[in-house]
Amino acid sequence: MRDKDKFLEVLIKSNGHHNTIDLGAQIGLDENETMEIITQLLAEFKIEYATNGVCDYSLMRSKKQARKFNS
């Protein structure tokens, strides 16, 4: 999904300076589409819920941590 890749890219570049809804809007997504992408990224363990500036999500630190959540 292209939007998911774009969203992940702007999330990384944002470095916590924008909230997730604003990041989605920057690439042309509405709130529902943004939340759907966030849900997918969480399920894939690419991001985690962790306050990072004004953003509520950040990149997963490592695959090892992702496995810890699955057990």
Side-chain angles (χ1 to χ4, degrees):
M1 172 184 255
R2 277 190 199 273
D3 289 338
K4 185 168 58 172
D5 294 335
K6 285 182 185 178
F7 182 82
L8 192 56
E9 185 179 322
V10 296
L11 178 67
I12 293 167
K13 287 180 181 178
S14 156
N15 198 26
H17 294 287
H18 298 89
N19 72 43
T20 52
I21 303 305
D22 290 343
L23 293 175
Q26 285 180 17
I27 60 171
L29 302 174
D30 65 23
E31 185 174 347
N32 291 331
E33 292 168 321
T34 301
M35 294 311 295
E36 184 178 320
I37 287 173
I38 289 170
T39 300
Q40 292 170 4
L41 291 170
L42 286 167
E44 295 170 3
F45 297 103
K46 291 186 178 178
I47 63 171
E48 62 185 340
Y49 182 81
T51 303
N52 179 19
V54 296
C55 188
D56 289 333
Y57 300 92
S58 63
L59 293 176
M60 283 295 270
R61 302 268 186 245
S62 70
K63 296 282 184 187
K64 189 175 186 179
Q65 282 183 322
R67 278 187 241 120
K68 182 174 97 176
F69 290 113
N70 275 336
S71 46

